[in-house]
Amino acid sequence: MTDNTGEAVPLTPLDPKEPLQPASAEIGKEVPHPAQPPYAEDSTTTRAEKFERHGLMNGDQSTDGVEESPAKRVKLDIGDGGRVENHGPTPSERQKGVAPIKAEFLVYPPGSKQDRSAAVIDDDAEEASRHANQGTQSGARGAKRKEKSRGQNTNRQFGSWKDEKGLCQSRSTQPEFSPDECRFGDDCKFEHDLRKYLKDYKREDLTTFGGTCPIWELKGRCDAGWKCRFVGSHMQERDTEDGRKELVLVETDQSGRSVSSSEANSRESDTVNVATTQQKLDLAKRKKQTPKADAYTEWLEKNSKELEKNLHSGPQNIAVNDDAVKKEGDNSAGKKAAVEENRALYTESPFLPSEKRRIYFGPETPVLAPLTTQGNLPFRRLCVGLGAQLTYSEMAMGMSLIQGQKSEWALMRAHASETTPPAYQPQGSVVQNYDHAKDFKFGAQIAANKPWIALKTTEILTNICPRLRVIDLNCGCPIDLVYRQGAGSALLDSQAKLEKIIRGMNAVSGEVPITVKIRMGTKNDKPNALKLIDRLAHGGHEALSAGSEASGVAAITLHGRSRQQRYTKNADWAYISSCAALIKNFNARGDDLADTIREADARTLPASGKVYFIGNGDCYSHTSYRSALFPSSSSSSSAGGGIDAIMLARGALVKPWIFEEIEKGQYLDKSAPERLALIEQYVRFGLETWGSDEMGVGTTRRFLLEWLSFAYRYVPVGLLEYLPPSLQDRPPAWRGRNELETLLGSDNYKDWIKISEMFLGPAHKDFKFAPKHRSNSYEIEAEG
């Protein structure tokens, strides 16, 4: 088509018969690329969209008839030409503490007043929120006020989830007409009529997973029996000889062959380190004996009195100068005699430590940190499947284990996948006598405030739990309740006491090595981890004076923060490196001290002849992992800075596939369906662990929500302007590449419950969930 001048006129794409009209003069005055409001299907829960629903976008005062007071309106600065002035940094700059999300994924324009990153969250929950919640009721008023100022939800309540009336255990797995005998008879408070229970008291079956019980599908038998929320998939009604209809449970193997209950019960469990009911009862009734711990504790008390007498009695102090002993010279024979004479002043320990099992830490063994609440068996199992090489139990309180508390002993359970050997590709010297085939992934972590508690706990654990790689002593927990009791990070200020505990644990642990996890110190301006590491590696002055040697600690993990600092600043990797250099020097001197008066007894040395050193703090990508291990070079073949391995905590909670990224050496932009598949896998693991009955489903939901309270913080790498991502960065309001990705990034706990309902059905009417941090449950009024 041509105009009057003969020139071609462009056609309208939608209607080729109509010529394209010239642009109006008003079009040039429009703001290019105006901020687009998110669509309803993107998300209905993000905090930013709550503003939009109330008409706060683009200066609107109302939407759908909803009006806001002037105090709550968000005003935009309008510049010349009606354009929004951007007072923030240019797109080429990276703001510190703010996730660098690409502009097209931001809900608000960069630099606008609504463009605010999420509140910084105190991640004490990583360490011991379960124990913190226990102590808030009896805490001081000032302590309560302090906790509140950090924005934590104290005294969290989760409601309850159970059948309206439970089915008697004598009927739970038996055919309808062949129940076991109930020892309570007519006085039993549970239901005995199976059909009445299924009709009136049990909630309807779940339709997720195709309506098939995942446990029965996997194992051929469901331990929940008639209580299972998927019982319809493994029950049937059969005709009896007398013409009646009987309800029975179906038990089959993977090939579909029917198996008997006795055969199903005889199958080996995939869970290890399970304390029996009788063992827990014996502990509760104080019938469990700990002869080694008792004897060593008695010696410790006696030794402490002798040290007090000989080291602090003025003229009688004839302790050998340790610095002089360290030096070699012509008078070495005289020094050795002085050491022997000094040892005569002290009572010898009742026994020396046993030879320990050899262990190994290396660049190829990323470690999943002990995580209270979130570090449960299903989550550890998920991480092992994604590449985690070493795992730890949740922190267990030593006294609770000694008393046989069921909840605390449940923390010691490990999955069979955690009993397989970790990766082993030594790049330096090979660990002598290391039997890789007999190594495990799983270790236990305990907390104790007194030597006798730690020693008893250690001896009991080694007797009851055969599949423990190491026993780790927690000396880094910052929670007030644990700290006030003298456990956790409080031990950092009682270094002589801590050394006694490690030495005693090493003496009673049999072949299981002892490790320790510490922080830089308790105060920001007074780090003392370097001094503590020197004491643990070489032995303190008191121990050396009494004729003892090194503590025998097999590995030391250092979190690069102080207790006071919590998680408000980045981890101090420079300080971690200086501590690593000390350990590296100690290990290098090991061979040089052979055949001298400083040569240590082999039984007091670490299990592998060296002390391993593990760094911990803010690792969130394969690049930060490599740079921490090899600070001088990005090549994994270069000589490291003394750090043997890296422990991951929050990074694994937010992004569990970080272990996969470390193994492959690249970023993985997991799609929303892939991430949802990981959630489904976690749910399956949870049902296997806690059961598929009402209690098991509710427990799985509760711990899934605990994990999602971290996982929502993940911002897909495809949305980021700059790499690597940082754990300390908080994102402004953003939308994902699709509706599901936006939902997975929602910070509202109600959305987390919606995600759980995709696999676990509607929550129980009495189920409640309070997020750890109030910012996750803020409503629109809290934003102003």
Side-chain angles (χ1 to χ4, degrees):
M1 182 178 293
T2 59
D3 59 9
N4 296 333
T5 61
E7 295 183 0
V9 177
L11 302 177
T12 303
L14 298 179
D15 189 357
K17 297 180 181 180
E18 295 294 330
L20 189 67
Q21 297 298 323
S24 171
E26 298 296 324
I27 294 179
K29 298 181 181 180
E30 295 179 357
V31 179
H33 305 296
Q36 298 294 324
Y39 298 103
E41 61 269 18
D42 285 341
S43 174
T44 59
T45 56
T46 59
R47 187 182 308 148
E49 291 171 347
K50 292 175 185 176
F51 280 104
E52 292 184 302
R53 285 198 221 107
H54 289 74
L56 301 180
M57 191 70 176
N58 295 330
D60 293 339
Q61 296 183 3
S62 64
T63 300
D64 297 331
V66 178
E67 295 186 0
E68 290 289 343
S69 64
K72 292 185 179 179
R73 294 172 188 163
V74 178
K75 299 178 181 179
L76 297 179
D77 296 327
I78 306 299
D80 294 335
R83 286 183 171 84
V84 177
E85 293 182 354
N86 187 350
H87 297 291
T90 63
S92 61
E93 298 176 359
R94 180 170 184 173
Q95 278 185 278
K96 185 177 180 181
V98 179
I101 298 177
K102 296 177 181 178
E104 58 264 34
F105 298 108
L106 293 175
V107 173
Y108 299 116
S112 64
K113 287 189 177 181
Q114 299 100 325
D115 176 31
R116 293 185 290 176
S117 60
V120 177
I121 297 175
D122 186 358
D123 282 324
D124 290 336
E126 176 206 344
E127 297 281 359
S129 62
R130 176 166 59 95
H131 306 290
N133 293 335
Q134 293 173 356
T136 53
Q137 294 180 350
S138 59
R141 183 177 303 175
K144 287 185 178 181
R145 189 179 300 113
K146 187 174 182 180
E147 290 292 334
K148 189 173 182 178
S149 67
R150 286 199 292 266
Q152 292 186 353
N153 273 327
T154 58
N155 296 325
R156 300 169 64 206
Q157 302 296 326
F158 301 98
S160 63
W161 46 89
K162 58 184 179 180
D163 294 325
E164 185 176 345
K165 184 177 182 180
L167 180 67
C168 180
Q169 194 64 27
S170 64
R171 269 74 174 163
S172 61
T173 58
Q174 301 302 315
E176 181 182 8
F177 299 151
S178 306
D180 293 336
E181 182 179 357
C182 177
R183 62 193 181 101
F184 297 102
D186 295 337
D187 295 331
C188 182
K189 63 180 181 179
F190 296 103
E191 183 59 51
H192 283 196
D193 188 331
L194 177 59
R195 291 182 184 269
K196 184 175 180 60
Y197 164 77
L198 294 175
K199 180 182 179 181
D200 298 336
Y201 302 131
K202 180 180 175 294
R203 293 178 71 199
E204 68 281 358
D205 276 6
L206 295 175
T207 58
T208 55
F209 302 108
T212 301
C213 175
I215 302 175
W216 178 80
E217 186 179 26
L218 178 69
K219 300 181 179 180
R221 182 178 189 269
C222 177
D223 294 330
W226 298 110
K227 300 178 183 180
C228 177
R229 292 293 307 280
F230 302 89
V231 70
S233 64
H234 52 80
M235 63 171 281
Q236 66 182 13
E237 193 175 46
R238 69 182 180 186
D239 295 325
T240 62
E241 295 180 356
D242 58 1
R244 294 186 298 171
K245 300 286 188 180
E246 181 183 25
L247 294 176
V248 295
L249 294 171
V250 178
E251 296 178 349
T252 61
D253 60 15
Q254 293 181 352
S255 63
R257 179 181 64 87
S258 297
V259 297
S260 63
S261 297
S262 59
E263 182 182 353
N265 288 331
S266 65
R267 292 177 177 175
E268 184 179 357
S269 174
D270 56 3
T271 304
V272 299
N273 295 337
V274 180
T276 66
T277 302
Q278 187 59 49
Q279 287 172 328
K280 287 179 280 190
L281 285 174
D282 289 343
L283 288 169
K285 296 178 180 179
R286 299 183 181 180
K287 292 183 179 180
K288 182 70 174 178
Q289 301 299 317
T290 53
K292 286 187 176 181
D294 295 341
Y296 203 91
T297 300
E298 184 180 352
W299 173 80
L300 275 178
E301 295 175 356
K302 187 181 228 181
N303 183 256
S304 297
K305 293 178 181 178
E306 293 172 344
L307 283 170
E308 180 70 24
K309 176 182 177 182
N310 295 322
L311 293 182
H312 305 287
S313 56
Q316 296 181 6
N317 181 7
I318 57 174
V320 177
N321 186 296
D322 186 54
D323 293 333
V325 174
K326 291 180 182 178
K327 300 178 182 178
E328 297 183 14
D330 297 336
N331 197 26
S332 59
K335 294 172 185 175
K336 185 174 182 179
V339 170
E340 295 297 330
E341 181 180 352
N342 194 64
R343 284 179 177 175
L345 299 174
Y346 301 94
T347 304
E348 292 186 2
S349 63
F351 46 83
L352 289 173
S354 302
E355 187 174 354
K356 305 300 178 186
R357 186 193 310 119
R358 299 298 193 263
I359 58 174
Y360 171 78
F361 291 89
E364 71 277 22
T365 60
V367 185
L368 176 64
L371 304 166
T372 299
T373 304
Q374 286 84 7
N376 45 62
L377 189 151
F379 183 76
R380 298 197 310 268
R381 186 178 172 187
L382 179 70
C383 290
V384 167
L386 292 170
Q389 296 301 316
L390 301 172
T391 63
Y392 286 88
S393 72
E394 302 177 50
M395 184 186 76
M397 302 304 292
M399 181 58 75
S400 299
L401 291 173
I402 293 173
Q403 294 172 343
Q405 291 186 12
K406 181 180 178 180
S407 59
E408 218 72 10
W409 276 102
L411 305 180
M412 297 298 108
R413 297 168 59 193
H415 188 259
S417 61
E418 297 179 271
T419 64
T420 57
Y424 182 56
Q425 300 169 1
Q427 299 172 359
S429 59
V430 179
V431 179
Q432 294 183 357
N433 301 323
Y434 171 62
D435 191 345
H436 175 249
K438 294 183 179 180
D439 200 0
F440 312 133
K441 290 185 173 72
F442 178 74
Q445 188 187 65
I446 64 172
N449 59 349
K450 296 179 181 178
W452 71 269
I453 296 177
L455 270 60
K456 276 183 173 289
T457 304
T458 301
E459 186 172 359
I460 292 171
L461 280 176
T462 53
N463 289 337
I464 294 179
C465 303
R467 298 296 185 119
L468 291 180
R469 185 178 200 255
V470 299
I471 297 178
D472 185 79
L473 180 66
N474 183 302
C475 299
C477 178
I479 298 301
D480 291 337
L481 174 65
V482 178
Y483 180 80
R484 287 195 300 266
Q485 291 178 347
S489 56
L491 290 173
L492 299 177
D493 292 332
S494 303
Q495 298 190 357
K497 177 182 176 181
L498 173 55
E499 183 187 359
K500 288 181 183 179
I501 292 177
I502 295 294
R503 196 181 299 278
M505 291 174 64
N506 198 47
V508 303
S509 65
E511 67 172 6
V512 180
I514 301 300
T515 62
V516 63
K517 185 173 185 284
I518 64 176
R519 286 194 177 220
M520 291 170 50
T522 56
K523 302 294 184 182
N524 286 343
D525 55 346
K526 295 181 180 179
N528 61 355
L530 197 62
K531 181 180 178 181
L532 175 59
I533 290 173
D534 180 71
R535 173 184 281 271
L536 294 177
H538 298 95
H541 175 66
E542 303 89 351
L544 295 175
S545 299
S548 300
E549 296 173 357
S551 66
V553 66
I556 300 173
T557 302
L558 175 60
H559 184 178
R561 290 183 173 91
S562 67
R563 174 186 181 267
Q564 183 182 10
Q565 181 182 345
R566 303 291 177 107
Y567 294 89
T568 56
K569 296 180 181 179
N570 293 329
D572 190 345
W573 278 94
Y575 189 85
I576 294 176
S577 296
S578 64
C579 294
L582 177 65
I583 293 293
K584 187 175 183 180
N585 179 63
F586 168 79
N587 293 328
R589 288 176 49 214
D591 293 337
D592 298 337
L593 295 177
D595 300 326
T596 69
I597 62 169
R598 290 285 291 168
E599 180 182 8
D601 190 310
R603 289 171 292 185
T604 66
L605 292 175
S608 303
K610 61 175 287 186
V611 177
Y612 287 103
F613 187 77
I614 299 98
N616 172 225
D618 295 345
C619 184
Y620 192 44
S621 66
H622 68 283
T623 55
S624 58
Y625 184 88
R626 289 292 173 184
S627 62
L629 284 173
F630 312 106
S632 60
S633 171
S634 61
S635 172
S636 60
S637 61
S638 64
I643 301 175
D644 295 293
I646 303 297
M647 178 178 283
L648 300 99
R650 291 180 301 158
L653 288 171
V654 176
K655 185 173 66 173
W657 58 92
I658 186 173
F659 299 103
E660 192 177 356
E661 290 186 347
I662 290 170
E663 182 181 359
K664 295 181 178 180
Q666 64 182 30
Y667 291 103
L668 298 177
D669 188 6
K670 293 282 186 181
S671 65
E674 287 177 310
R675 292 165 60 194
L676 193 65
L678 292 178
I679 294 175
E680 178 184 351
Q681 193 173 13
Y682 178 90
V683 171
R684 288 180 178 271
F685 292 161
L687 293 175
E688 287 184 47
T689 302
W690 295 302
S692 57
D693 59 350
E694 190 68 64
M695 289 296 295
V697 170
T699 303
T700 301
R701 189 192 309 276
R702 182 256 163 128
F703 285 107
L704 172 62
L705 296 176
E706 297 283 9
W707 172 36
L708 292 179
S709 71
F710 279 88
Y712 87 89
R713 302 186 200 176
Y714 173 70
V715 179
V717 293
L719 274 60
L720 296 177
E721 193 78 42
Y722 304 98
L723 295 174
S726 172
L727 266 177
Q728 298 300 94
D729 286 351
R730 294 294 179 256
W734 59 278
R735 69 170 65 87
R737 292 164 289 194
N738 52 57
E739 180 182 357
L740 180 57
E741 192 168 71
T742 304
L743 178 66
L744 292 174
S746 171
D747 63 352
N748 190 299
Y749 76 97
K750 293 181 180 179
D751 265 355
W752 309 341
I753 294 179
K754 290 179 184 177
I755 295 172
S756 75
E757 291 177 343
M758 295 181 183
F759 306 103
L760 297 172
H764 192 280
K765 61 182 179 63
D766 296 326
F767 179 86
K768 298 178 183 178
F769 181 78
K772 299 182 204 66
H773 201 274
R774 292 193 180 93
S775 65
N776 297 124
S777 54
Y778 275 168
E779 296 298 333
I780 183 68
E781 291 78 6
E783 295 294 337

